[in-house]
């Protein structure tokens, strides 16, 4: 049996920022879903990998990308 590890990142905020985050989450090992309610959006990103270290690396890279986007949108 192949081991699989998963981490979920859930974020809510403006639709425009959610759309940008959604694009950033379009990468190997990630799946993302955005739901909208008026001007607010919720984004759920699931990151998967076959080893815990690789999962950590993927999550770290994604969080750095999302943090950069957030800092540059302010």
């Amino acid at each position: 049996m192949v081991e699989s590890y998963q981490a979920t990142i859930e974020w809510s905020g403006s639709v425009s920022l959610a759309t940008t985050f959604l694009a950033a989450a379009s990468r190997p090992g990630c799946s993302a879903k955005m739901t909208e309610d008026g001007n607010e959006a919720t984004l759920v990103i699931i990151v998967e990998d076959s080893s815990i270290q690789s999962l950590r690396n993927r999550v770290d890279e994604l969080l750095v990308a999302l943090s950069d986007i957030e800092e540059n949108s302010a």
Side-chain angles (χ1 to χ4, degrees):
M1 184 170 126
V2 175
E3 291 183 353
S4 179
Y5 298 91
Q6 189 177 81
T8 303
I9 299 168
E10 191 168 335
W11 175 89
S12 59
S14 72
V15 172
S16 62
L17 191 53
T19 303
T20 306
F21 282 170
L22 181 63
S26 297
R27 56 181 64 210
C30 295
S31 61
K33 181 180 178 185
M34 183 176 88
T35 56
E36 296 179 44
D37 184 16
N39 293 331
E40 291 291 309
T42 299
L43 182 63
V44 177
I45 304 168
I46 298 173
V47 184
E48 296 181 273
D49 212 302
S50 59
S51 80
I52 195 78
Q53 184 60 52
S54 295
L55 175 67
R56 179 183 176 198
N57 293 342
R58 284 186 194 269
V59 170
D60 286 350
E61 289 171 6
L62 178 60
L63 290 175
V64 166
L66 296 179
S67 178
D68 287 345
I69 291 167
E70 187 176 50
E71 285 179 17
N72 291 322
S73 71

